Amino acid sequence: MKSLQGPNHIVSGKKKADALARLLGNSDISEEFPASILRQHNDVTVIADEEALKKINE
């Protein structure tokens, strides 16, 4: 079983759907969206429920 050693983030609920879609999308890294810095990390784990994932692949 892989242990969760890098930055780990639990994303839950429809209120987080836009932010998660933005994080996993192609937007630029910026101070206006602090979570975007996670794209530069090579070992990030995101655990999300169905509501948070609703806007992925739209």
Side-chain angles (χ1 to χ4, degrees), residues 25-48:
N26 293 322
S27 62
D28 293 331
I29 294 172
S30 73
E31 291 181 10
E32 295 158 0
F33 184 56
S36 65
I37 197 69
L38 293 172
R39 285 197 224 112
Q40 291 187 337
H41 199 284
N42 64 357
D43 187 24
V44 174
T45 300
V46 176
I47 300 168

Side-chain angles (χ1 to χ4, degrees), residues 11-14 16-18 20-21 24 46-58:
V11 183
S12 178
K14 63 184 177 182
K16 300 295 182 177
D18 287 329
L20 183 59
L24 298 178
V46 176
I47 300 168
D49 66 8
E50 286 186 38
E51 290 293 320
L53 291 168
K54 286 210 182 241
K55 296 197 176 185
I56 304 300
N57 295 325
E58 277 193 349

